[in-house]
Amino acid sequence: MTSERAITAQRRFGYGVVPDAPARVVRDPLGYAIGQLNDYEYKDRSGLESSSALLTRFKVMQRSRRESDSADAFKAAGALVKGQMQQETGYRFKTAVQSGKPLVERLVSFWSDHFCVSCVKGPQVRLIAGAYEREAIRPHVTGRFRDMLGAVMHHPAMLIYLDNTSSVGPDSPKGRKFNQGLNENLGRELLELHTVGVDAGYSQTDVTEAARIITGWTYNSSPGDETGHFLFDARSHQPGQFTVMGVVFDQNGEAQGDALLDMLAAHPSTARHIAGKLVHYFVGDNAAPALTDAVAQRFSETDGDLKETMIALLQRAESWDAPAAKVLPPFDMLVAFSRLIGVKLKNEEVIAMSRSLGQPLWEPRSPAGFPKGDDDWATSGAMVGRLKLAMNMARQSDLQDDPMGLANAALGRNVTQPLEDAISRAATRPEATAMLLLSPQIQLR
Amino acid sequence: MTFLHPTRRGLLIGAGMASAGAFAGWTHTPAHSSLSGSRDPRFLQVILRGGMDGLAVAEPTFEPRLEQLRQGILLGNLGEAALPLQGGFVLNPKLKNLHEMYLRGEASIFHAVASPYRGRSHFDGQDFLESGAAGGKALETGWLNRALSVLPQKNGPARDGLAVSLTAPLIMRGKAPVITWRGGGLRALRPESFSRLMELYSADAPGLKSAFESGLTLTKLADEPPSGEGSPFVNGMRMAGQFFSKPEGPRIGMIDLDGWDTHAEEAPEGNNLGKALAELDAGLAALKDALGAHWKDTVVAVATEFGRTVRINGTEGTDHGTATVAFLVGGAVQGGRVIADWPGLQDNNLFESRDLMPTMDIRSILKGVLSDHLGIAEGVLSDVVFPDSQTVKPFSSLLV
């Protein structure tokens, strides 16, 4: 018998229900969720190239393009970017559908959005956005926040996306020689989005000082073995001591930025900001404030241990008892459909479908990531897209079982009378399947 | 002719407007408030995403350096004759319908236009264009939504702001209610199944229910094109025209079109710029056709986040630039004009030695339209719709 909590463990803390759920989720939903976190050990099994290798290849193509003015080199670079995006999308989608640790995959998605980069920036970010997630996000989702923050801030994808590669201290050797200046983009988002949050009470001066501290944080774009790796460029670094949120940073060089990240990661506002976002992401817009308090407290007392922080969220009853009100984002819906009815999608289809539903992977419109509110994806135009997609996927599925059998196997007693009516009175098997896919039991978490 | 010598920095302004009105246009008070009387104004904002190359859309043939800077993508080399405009400009031949509207006095072309944004990032540029920010950082809500929020209340979901899009883009985000429409599909389910689905939602998912139902309400107002046929943009323009035509339909909306980021192979036949222009042109014609008699009450503003470099790059394309063109189209437009404070193309005329210099703020055009077409007071425009824009005066006499 599938209990309410077993369903919640799969929907709210996973990528949706399946007809053949593991025995443990039925027996012990909380233990099943926590067990995924305890058992997670990072290893890159994608078989895909590193961002440095990709950037090296890209730079070679760019150079030959400049030297020969060749349209062929331009096309080759385009093909590299496109091909990489297809493979990375395929890896992300397949892992989400097949993983025995769907909660870990949800955390990858959460942190990838929290520290988002976006392909709208241009072909270089598009080329390495997937690698960025594999290199800077995945290894740390059950590790320490400070480590993830450090990996993000040292990664070329983030340094390019938020323009730190073109931020130069005005009084640095390079700044004086070429009359170049500061770009505050990454400094600002480091405070506003990545750590303490917009309500932490910092000022524009704090933003500027933070941006000064991380001048020189760039990546190596010259030819050689180090292409695509982080580089501290002392010639761009603004010399001097700076103050951010009342803390003085008098270190030299790269250590100054590391000290800034230490301070921000340990700041109480960061604990609240991260806890609030996690609760909002998993539980919804109307979660109890006490829940956020508990999660923030755990974040603080464990020095930002993300596994312990997540376990604190899981251990609170209100995390499970809040009604399912969050409409699945499009990518999560594709994963949920595929898990439930077993339709296999080609990489190009995943790209096209998530784009047409408004959520192209690694391509949010702003550094704040994709919309996060409970109903943000429930717009009239988007619902039409969902309906069409559900019908198309239902037609593609070669369900041996009847849709009602599938509903019962996946949802147990969560199959309500209206859902049973909708499925049993459908005119065709695809329509019955579509009713299941579109039901609140599948669309909401 | 009423324009000044075009090769110096001077105002180009078309026939039908007294020359004395040229600069007076910047400070003049609105001629009419459209909320009075029987007019029922429609406004559609078209956003071209990717950075449209204004110099390849309306080309200044009088510029002696053009040949040297843009050889390979000049309109004269396209094989199709460029379309004459006033003041020595020619229009890209892919814009035949737009040109016809221009000749009928229903379209104006603005040149050397930019938003306040001076960077070269697509997303920042679009965020500025859509949020209507004055500087610093883009805002969280869109100027069109804020304009909706200051208009008198209308009743019914179909009176909401219309976004021909899957979800509301930034320009439409904010407090005012918005309805989105995108492609057919509601007919994929039989009506009985649809109502059973609504029953499913009414208990557990009211948000899904209302989203579905408002989509259906809108769909019932118009004849949807068969799903999957034709260009989504052209279909969207036709649908917007149909929605705007219904007594209970929306009146203010937006739509967007991608495909303007022409870094390579901009010029040859069948190229990406030509394709995008032809799609835009077909969309404008479809909109006009669908609006029928309501075309006379309609203003369409067409704008992009930024222009492109004056010089072509190594791949016969252009890179991200600054100033570009914008259009006003519609029966309510006092058209047939090219309006520009032309900056010139000599090296010292260019912005950062590479881009067309911006001499006109897109907000002055939009404020002129919102003031004269929708009757929004100048103070509200400067405080709410485009915050901190007191110094950006609404352009007057843009409309009939």
Side-chain angles (χ1 to χ4, degrees):
Chain A
M1 183 57 84
T2 314
S3 73
E4 193 78 32
R5 282 208 165 190
I7 301 288
T8 305
Q10 297 176 71
R11 288 200 306 196
R12 179 165 295 168
F13 301 116
Y15 265 118
V17 292
V18 290
D20 48 353
R24 187 166 186 195
V25 71
V26 181
R27 203 176 59 239
D28 174 14
L30 174 62
Y32 165 73
I34 293 176
Q36 295 177 50
L37 303 176
N38 283 328
D39 295 346
Y40 179 63
E41 209 171 310
Y42 172 71
K43 186 167 184 291
D44 191 337
R45 295 181 180 82
S46 67
L48 298 171
E49 280 181 276
S50 68
S51 54
S52 53
L54 290 165
L55 282 174
T56 304
R57 286 171 62 188
F58 191 75
K59 293 285 169 194
V60 170
M61 289 172 181
Q62 274 191 322
R63 266 191 298 281
S64 75
R65 177 188 159 193
R66 260 198 302 278
E67 280 156 17
S68 60
D69 270 2
S70 142
D72 287 347
F74 187 83
K75 279 185 185 148
L80 172 67
V81 172
K82 191 175 172 191
Q84 190 65 24
M85 180 50 76
Q86 290 187 349
Q87 293 182 56
E88 297 282 2
T89 303
Y91 173 67
R92 164 73 109 79
F93 184 73
K94 205 178 79 195
T95 314
V97 171
Q98 297 175 355
S99 171
K101 301 183 185 68
L103 175 56
V104 171
E105 292 305 309
R106 287 285 306 287
L107 285 169
V108 169
S109 174
F110 170 83
W111 286 109
S112 189
D113 186 78
H114 177 79
F115 287 118
C116 74
V117 296
S118 178
C119 299
V120 292
K121 183 70 177 178
Q124 291 193 74
V125 173
R126 188 176 292 276
L127 177 67
I128 59 171
Y132 163 74
E133 184 177 284
R134 289 185 283 114
E135 293 162 358
I137 306 295
R138 277 191 182 274
H140 306 292
V141 292
T142 57
R144 292 185 63 234
F145 177 76
R146 174 64 181 85
D147 293 338
M148 193 189 293
L149 178 65
V152 163
M153 291 290 292
H154 285 81
H155 200 282
M158 181 59 78
L159 296 165
I160 297 169
Y161 173 52
L162 291 178
D163 301 315
N164 214 60
T165 51
S166 53
S167 182
V168 177
D171 302 314
S172 68
K174 220 181 231 174
R176 286 170 181 271
K177 186 167 174 196
F178 301 107
N179 197 24
Q180 285 176 307
L182 209 57
N183 185 310
E184 294 180 356
N185 218 355
L186 183 57
R188 178 184 310 281
E189 305 306 11
L190 171 63
L191 298 183
E192 176 177 332
L193 299 175
H194 299 160
T195 61
V196 292
V198 71
D199 300 322
Y202 57 83
S203 68
Q204 173 57 40
T205 311
D206 292 318
V207 168
T208 308
E209 295 274 281
R212 286 178 180 134
I213 290 175
I214 57 170
T215 45
W217 288 45
T218 184
Y219 74 101
N220 196 324
S221 57
S222 39
D225 294 344
E226 289 298 307
T227 309
H229 289 275
F230 176 81
L231 171 75
F232 177 75
D233 177 12
R235 294 179 60 246
S236 299
H237 183 67
Q238 175 78 0
Q241 71 169 41
F242 307 102
T243 306
V244 179
M245 301 179 79
V247 179
V248 177
F249 295 91
D250 57 1
Q251 299 81 354
N252 288 317
E254 188 186 349
Q256 196 173 38
D258 288 330
L260 172 66
L261 299 190
D262 287 341
M263 183 279 275
L264 291 171
H267 199 283
S269 294
T270 300
R272 283 213 61 80
H273 182 213
I274 298 302
K277 279 192 76 173
L278 273 171
V279 166
H280 190 222
Y281 174 74
F282 280 105
V283 185
D285 294 353
N286 299 314
L291 180 57
T292 300
D293 294 343
V295 175
Q297 193 187 336
R298 193 70 186 139
F299 183 98
S300 288
E301 57 194 31
T302 61
D303 277 339
D305 183 320
L306 298 179
K307 184 170 85 177
E308 291 303 322
T309 302
M310 189 61 207
I311 290 174
L313 189 153
L314 290 167
Q315 282 172 333
R316 301 281 296 201
E318 56 263 56
S319 299
W320 298 77
D321 297 343
K326 231 176 170 59
V327 176
L328 293 189
F331 181 82
D332 297 33
M333 185 180 77
L334 287 180
V335 175
F337 283 6
S338 191
R339 282 168 66 85
L340 181 60
I341 63 174
V343 169
K344 299 218 175 7
L345 297 176
K346 297 193 189 84
N347 298 346
E348 306 89 87
E349 289 177 315
V350 176
I351 291 176
M353 286 173 173
S354 37
R355 181 174 296 279
S356 78
L357 288 168
Q359 196 187 26
L361 211 46
W362 302 302
E363 200 174 325
R365 300 279 327 157
S366 98
F370 285 108
K372 295 165 177 53
D374 287 359
D375 279 336
D376 280 355
W377 294 104
T379 60
S380 43
M383 291 316 295
V384 176
R386 277 172 191 244
L387 194 150
K388 279 163 76 172
L389 186 85
M391 282 301 286
N392 285 341
M393 285 192 61
R395 282 196 204 97
Q396 281 179 49
S397 81
D398 50 356
L399 285 179
Q400 301 304 313
D401 207 355
D402 69 302
M404 187 60 80
L406 176 66
N408 285 327
L411 292 166
R413 70 167 85 122
N414 264 42
V415 177
T416 56
Q417 192 61 48
L419 178 56
E420 196 181 322
D421 290 349
I423 294 173
S424 61
R425 291 182 195 164
T428 62
R429 176 175 291 203
E431 190 173 283
T433 308
M435 296 305 257
L436 172 61
L437 296 179
L438 291 165
S439 68
Q441 285 85 336
I442 302 302
Q443 293 288 326
L444 302 179
R445 60 163 61 126
Chain B
M1 298 294 261
T2 53
F3 50 83
L4 304 176
H5 196 281
T7 52
R8 295 201 324 266
R9 267 191 69 147
L11 195 80
L12 295 173
I13 201 137
M17 186 174 181
S19 57
F23 272 103
W26 297 84
T27 53
H28 205 260
T29 45
H32 28 232
S33 162
S34 51
L35 291 185
S36 59
S38 60
R39 283 187 64 227
D40 185 4
R42 277 86 170 160
F43 176 74
L44 183 71
Q45 175 68 50
V46 180
I47 296 179
L48 308 178
R49 296 186 191 279
M52 178 172 67
D53 184 3
L55 290 172
V57 172
E59 185 180 274
T61 55
F62 51 82
E63 281 288 351
R65 294 190 73 212
L66 212 57
E67 190 86 17
Q68 175 202 338
L69 294 165
R70 312 199 122 218
Q71 201 182 22
I73 64 167
L74 289 179
L75 297 189
N77 305 336
L78 282 184
E80 273 176 281
L83 308 166
L85 301 171
Q86 64 176 180
F89 288 90
V90 291
L91 191 65
N92 192 298
K94 297 292 179 197
L95 292 169
K96 289 191 172 55
N97 292 311
L98 178 68
H99 191 250
E100 203 168 289
M101 293 170 191
Y102 167 88
L103 293 177
R104 294 167 60 97
E106 297 172 348
S108 289
I109 293 150
F110 300 81
H111 221 317
V113 178
S115 83
Y117 178 69
R118 290 292 173 273
R120 295 190 177 86
S121 146
H122 288 300
F123 66 93
D124 288 345
Q126 290 172 27
D127 285 355
F128 263 81
L129 178 66
E130 294 183 66
S131 72
K137 209 183 161 190
L139 310 169
E140 306 269 308
T141 59
W143 63 262
L144 193 51
N145 191 288
R146 295 194 299 275
L148 278 160
S149 72
V150 300
L151 287 172
Q153 289 291 313
K154 303 269 172 60
N155 295 323
R159 283 293 197 180
D160 299 347
L162 170 71
V164 183
S165 173
L166 209 61
T167 52
L170 178 55
I171 187 172
M172 264 298 188
R173 254 178 263 153
K175 271 186 253 158
V178 172
I179 188 163
T180 65
W181 181 89
R182 171 78 173 268
L186 284 175
R187 291 177 189 168
L189 278 188
R190 296 173 307 135
E192 310 88 83
S193 301
F194 191 87
S195 48
R196 269 195 290 278
L197 196 58
M198 292 307 107
E199 275 169 41
L200 260 180
Y201 289 163
S202 59
D204 301 326
L208 294 179
K209 181 165 191 268
S210 68
F212 252 130
E213 282 178 342
S214 60
L216 192 68
T217 308
L218 204 54
T219 305
K220 279 180 180 157
L221 289 179
D223 304 320
E224 291 209 355
S227 167
E229 278 181 30
S231 134
F233 174 75
V234 176
N235 287 342
M237 289 289 269
R238 186 174 296 115
M239 293 300 286
Q242 291 194 30
F243 295 143
F244 278 11
S245 303
K246 303 292 168 181
E248 67 279 35
R251 292 293 178 265
I252 292 172
M254 66 75 55
I255 185 170
D256 51 16
L257 177 61
D258 290 343
W260 303 93
D261 196 17
T262 49
H263 285 286
E265 297 176 54
E266 188 170 312
E269 199 58 31
N271 64 82
N272 42 18
L273 180 64
K275 267 188 260 176
L277 286 171
E279 202 171 355
L280 172 64
D281 198 52
L284 290 169
L287 175 77
K288 180 177 177 176
D289 181 55
L291 278 164
H294 304 294
W295 175 249
K296 70 174 183 351
D297 296 326
T298 299
V299 175
V300 184
V302 183
T304 185
E305 70 262 33
F306 47 55
R308 311 193 68 82
T309 49
V310 167
R311 285 179 197 82
I312 55 170
N313 61 21
T315 51
E316 301 272 293
T318 49
D319 298 317
H320 302 180
T322 308
T324 184
V325 295
F327 312 128
L328 287 184
V329 189
V333 174
Q334 188 185 323
R337 299 184 291 168
V338 176
I339 299 175
D341 182 0
W342 186 249
L345 293 182
Q346 297 299 318
D347 272 336
N348 59 352
N349 300 139
L350 302 184
F351 178 73
E352 296 184 350
S353 313
R354 49 175 269 165
D355 305 338
L356 183 64
M357 178 73 76
T359 56
M360 194 185 298
D361 191 320
I362 184 76
R363 292 174 299 168
S364 64
I365 303 169
L366 296 170
K367 285 172 87 168
V369 172
L370 295 177
S371 157
D372 290 359
H373 194 51
L374 302 180
I376 302 178
E378 189 178 335
V380 177
L381 287 173
S382 299
D383 292 340
V384 179
V385 181
F386 294 103
D388 303 319
S389 68
Q390 287 79 2
T391 55
V392 183
K393 293 297 170 197
F395 223 127
S396 77
S397 310
L398 295 177
L399 307 184
V400 177

